Amino acid sequence: MKQYFIIFSLIVTSIFSLSSCNDDNNSIRTTAFTLTTENPKDLTDPSVSNLTASFKNINTGRTTTSNAFSGNQLEVELTEGIYHITIEGNVKYSFEEQEMNTKIKGYKESVNITGETASSSLTLFLSQELSDFVIAEIFFTGTTTPEGKQYDGDKFIKIYNNSDTVLYADGLSVLVSEFLTVTKQDYTPDIMSKAMAVSAIITIPGDGTVYPVQPGESIIIADNGIDHREANSQSFDLSKADFEIFYDETNDIDNPAVTNIKTPYDRFLFHNRGSKSMALARIPNIEEYVLDSVNMYHYEYTFVFGEHVIPMDGDCLQVPNEYIIDAVNMTIPAEFQWIVTSPSLDMGWTHCGEIDKDQNRYNKSVRRKVLPTTVNGIEKLQDTNNSTLDFEADAVPSLAK
């Protein structure tokens, strides 16, 4: 009798297990999703081909890809969720009686895909893959002392000549975003497709012939251009940096052996958790540009906290996307909400650490990847305008021993 009871118990358990599995399967809902692409405006006779779309579920991290486009539409089955959508392909179009061939891309964040059917549209843009200066590395986290305390002042940015010719760094500006990648608001007017909202700028001095950079060489801009190892054995020697940021109005350290860099707009701040983005730009007549009120951006948004709804506004500088030659979005993965540049400049992001105030982020940088082959013996850095692909996150800083 006992044996029959055991067998009966096993059968009942199996039935409940199967029922549980079926319930789990039924709880996974899918959506028949239709994506419609729109070509960039002002293109003459565009012909788009080889489109591939990637759908990244931000809840699960799972990515679904498809190239089954029919004209400008794609139908794909997706599990319900919130997705970041990325598209890459090729486009032919006419320009001044010439046939142009280039890459085309698209990007859309936080698309809520639910229900039996859903749809969304996405405007494509030309990929601006230039052979110029690129941001090779940003060390924004700072180091720690042997005792585990945070050490400040040894942050730096490395800029690399990724072209085949000598480039002059004179007048090159580093921009810092006004907005945070971990806080998304509906800022109006929305200028992102045309310009970058900027909180700070630093600009390399010179008249255009002072600071040549050979192909495959780099320059370093230090927060403080001193040998930080004297105060912290786990830091770097930045006394041989090409430039240092110096603020006249403060008791900032000034190393006479390192050229001071100009700060024409506000103070240059490294966000040590990586919630702001950076870019390189060539801004004509920078001193005049920052003083001209027409280049200011007044924005408004509504701050919502619980039951409180508060109208907010702010002012900052705006820099046209045409002036920007490279951009890198940075964020905190667990807190990421959006990129704060046009996706035509950068459609991804990189990071140090995983969560807010992550103690593991210190002593790490973000470094651009090196391509496996050289050109005329010169290393080339990867530059697809997608920092998720182009950068090594949580990297060992290049100046570390």
Side-chain angles (χ1 to χ4, degrees):
M1 188 69 180
K2 183 177 182 181
Q3 183 177 5
Y4 287 116
F5 178 78
I6 294 174
I7 293 174
F8 178 78
S9 298
L10 290 173
I11 292 172
V12 171
T13 302
S14 299
I15 291 172
F16 276 108
S17 296
L18 287 172
S19 175
S20 176
C21 288
N22 289 333
D23 287 344
D24 288 343
N25 289 334
N26 291 334
S27 68
I28 300 176
R29 298 180 179 179
T30 61
T31 300
F33 181 69
T34 301
L35 177 65
T36 303
T37 63
E38 298 177 4
N39 291 331
K41 296 179 180 179
D42 303 324
L43 288 189
T44 303
D45 301 325
S47 176
V48 176
S49 61
N50 302 323
L51 287 181
T52 298
S54 298
F55 302 85
K56 183 174 182 179
N57 188 313
I58 64 174
N59 302 116
T60 66
R62 183 176 301 169
T63 299
T64 301
T65 61
S66 175
N67 59 2
F69 277 86
S70 177
N72 68 335
Q73 283 195 338
L74 172 68
E75 295 183 356
V76 61
E77 195 83 9
L78 298 170
T79 57
E80 289 189 332
I82 299 176
Y83 287 82
H84 295 332
I85 304 175
T86 303
I87 294 181
E88 296 190 7
N90 301 313
V91 63
K92 292 181 181 180
Y93 62 98
S94 299
F95 180 73
E96 295 182 354
E97 299 182 353
Q98 292 185 346
E99 185 180 85
M100 309 296 291
N101 294 273
T102 188
K103 298 288 185 182
I104 198 166
K105 296 183 178 182
Y107 182 78
K108 196 167 188 178
E109 292 178 329
S110 304
V111 180
N112 189 12
I113 299 177
T114 58
E116 292 184 3
T117 62
S119 62
S120 183
S121 62
L122 185 154
T123 301
L124 303 174
F125 54 85
L126 298 181
S127 178
Q128 300 178 1
E129 296 178 9
L130 306 175
S131 182
D132 208 321
F133 284 117
V134 296
I135 296 173
E137 180 179 13
I138 306 173
F139 180 70
F140 60 85
T141 60
T143 55
T144 54
T145 66
E147 296 76 29
K149 295 182 179 180
Q150 183 179 351
Y151 178 82
D152 200 20
D154 55 0
K155 302 176 181 67
F156 66 87
I157 180 170
K158 180 182 285 189
I159 300 169
Y160 186 84
N161 180 353
N162 212 33
S163 77
D164 300 321
T165 61
V166 177
L167 297 176
Y168 285 85
D170 306 45
L172 190 67
S173 293
V174 180
L175 317 179
V176 181
S177 67
E178 168 80 353
F179 303 137
L180 300 173
T181 55
V182 296
T183 305
K184 185 177 182 180
Q185 304 288 352
D186 290 326
Y187 300 105
T188 57
D190 182 0
I191 64 169
M192 194 173 294
S193 64
K194 298 179 180 179
M196 180 177 176
V198 172
S199 65
I201 299 177
I202 58 172
T203 302
I204 295 174
D207 60 9
T209 61
V210 182
Y211 301 109
V213 183
Q214 300 295 322
E217 292 189 356
S218 60
I219 55 175
I220 291 178
I221 301 173
D223 194 6
N224 287 316
I226 62 174
D227 188 348
H228 294 273
R229 297 174 302 178
E230 296 177 2
N232 175 18
S233 61
Q234 297 187 162
S235 187
F236 323 115
D237 180 7
L238 288 172
S239 65
K240 299 177 179 61
D242 299 277
F243 304 96
E244 71 171 349
I245 306 165
F246 179 70
Y247 308 108
D248 292 316
E249 71 279 7
T250 67
N251 295 321
D252 196 16
I253 299 172
D254 184 16
N255 181 357
V258 180
T259 302
N260 289 341
I261 199 168
K262 297 180 180 180
T263 56
Y265 181 68
D266 209 336
R267 295 193 58 175
F268 181 64
L269 300 177
F270 287 94
H271 194 288
N272 83 346
R273 301 201 303 279
S275 295
K276 288 201 170 189
S277 301
M278 293 186 177
L280 299 180
R282 291 190 179 92
I283 305 174
N285 304 314
I286 180 66
E287 288 82 3
E288 298 177 11
Y289 185 89
V290 301
L291 296 176
D292 193 338
S293 61
V294 74
N295 298 318
M296 296 302 294
Y297 168 46
H298 178 77
Y299 57 88
E300 298 177 351
Y301 64 98
T302 301
F303 178 74
V304 179
F305 182 74
E307 298 179 353
H308 302 283
V309 179
I310 307 171
M312 306 284 286
D313 67 350
D315 295 278
C316 69
L317 196 69
Q318 59 178 318
V319 175
N321 291 340
E322 289 81 4
Y323 292 171
I324 297 174
I325 60 175
D326 190 36
V328 179
N329 281 283
M330 294 175 290
T331 194
I332 302 166
E335 306 289 329
F336 173 74
Q337 293 193 24
W338 67 327
I339 59 174
V340 292
T341 67
S342 166
S344 65
L345 301 173
D346 183 20
M347 54 195 296
W349 48 267
T350 185
H351 65 93
C352 287
E354 296 291 334
I355 60 175
D356 193 21
K357 300 179 182 179
D358 194 334
Q359 296 299 306
N360 294 320
R361 76 186 186 277
Y362 296 119
N363 309 297
K364 296 175 183 175
S365 71
V366 294
R367 295 179 64 178
R368 192 178 289 270
K369 297 174 183 177
V370 180
L371 293 176
T373 58
T374 62
V375 177
N376 297 323
I378 298 174
E379 286 186 337
K380 292 291 183 179
L381 303 187
Q382 182 167 305
D383 184 18
T384 67
N385 291 344
N386 186 335
S387 290
T388 304
L389 302 177
D390 294 341
F391 276 79
E392 179 187 355
D394 293 310
V396 175
S398 60
L399 297 185
K401 289 184 179 179

